[in-house]
Amino acid sequence: MEAQGRLCAEPGCEEPGEFRAPPLEGAADGSGPGAFRWLCLDHVRAFNSRYNYFDGMTAEEIHHAQRPLAGWERETRAFARANGGDQGPRWADFSDPLDAIGARYRRETAPERRDGKPLSGQDRASLKVLGLAPDADRMALRKRYSELVRQYHPDRNGGDRSHEAMLQKVIAAYQQLRQAPAFA
């Protein structure tokens, strides 16, 4: 670690202050912790050897802190829900002016296709490029692809290459969808 020009905070030490240690006491004005001290390796080792977590605790508090299950008494939120405890936030408790939560919920729970095959986000985006509904079948996919290729291909537009980018999007969307599990 580089000391960046700092010297050890211990009086009389000329070694570089590479390691951060808490101040000896709080801030001078009592508003909170003071600035960190920077110590050399030997002095930070000495500081750490003097540290005692249990300093100031009663024997009963030390025993309670050293129990094998200390800190594990409270169930986590996931287990509490599974056991009928804390149910977490209700969506009705939130203000949703843009319908972001509700729209996501409807999208995830609404059946997308009559055959029950799931669509990925990439499938939805490709269907949008082709202008097809989520419930389209393989025949509709092929028919729409043929229509769009004819519409955007430069040979069908008198050599006009201005639609070439859209043609590439259509081809990529079709290639992705024809291999998607929903259209298998």
Side-chain angles (χ1 to χ4, degrees):
M1 182 180 240
E2 191 175 312
Q4 299 174 347
R6 289 184 294 261
L7 290 178
C8 181
E10 285 293 318
C13 183
E14 297 297 322
E15 295 291 317
E18 298 180 281
F19 303 96
R20 192 170 72 165
L24 291 174
E25 297 183 22
D29 61 359
S31 64
F36 283 100
R37 298 178 300 145
W38 293 90
L39 302 174
C40 66
L41 182 60
D42 291 334
H43 286 116
V44 82
R45 283 181 176 160
F47 174 83
N48 288 339
S49 69
R50 292 187 305 262
Y51 179 75
N52 183 0
Y53 176 79
F54 301 108
D55 190 33
M57 288 185 170
T58 65
E60 187 176 318
E61 291 171 332
I62 293 171
H63 178 71
H64 185 73
Q66 289 180 331
R67 290 178 308 114
L69 299 177
W72 293 95
E73 291 89 9
R74 185 178 168 274
E75 286 185 345
T76 63
R77 178 178 258 181
F79 286 121
R81 280 191 202 141
N83 295 331
D86 176 25
Q87 296 300 313
R90 294 180 317 178
W91 294 119
D93 295 341
F94 293 92
S95 172
D96 190 13
L98 299 176
D99 196 33
I101 297 170
R104 179 175 180 200
Y105 177 75
R106 281 190 299 279
R107 184 179 75 232
E108 290 177 354
T109 59
E112 296 174 344
R113 298 174 53 88
R114 279 185 239 138
D115 59 10
K117 293 180 180 177
L119 291 173
S120 69
Q122 193 173 9
D123 291 344
R124 283 190 212 92
S126 295
L127 285 169
K128 191 174 184 177
V129 168
L130 296 176
L132 290 172
D135 208 24
D137 61 357
R138 199 166 177 81
M139 190 183 315
L141 176 67
R142 175 72 181 145
K143 183 179 176 185
R144 183 65 179 155
Y145 170 70
S146 296
E147 291 170 1
L148 292 174
V149 166
R150 275 186 252 121
Q151 179 182 347
Y152 294 126
H153 200 281
D155 291 346
R156 302 282 270 188
N157 291 317
D160 180 16
R161 298 178 72 104
S162 63
H163 301 290
E164 200 168 284
M166 188 60 189
L167 176 64
Q168 289 175 351
K169 285 182 185 178
V170 166
I171 293 170
Y174 175 72
Q175 293 297 328
Q176 191 272 321
L177 285 172
R178 74 183 194 123
Q179 295 173 356
F183 293 95

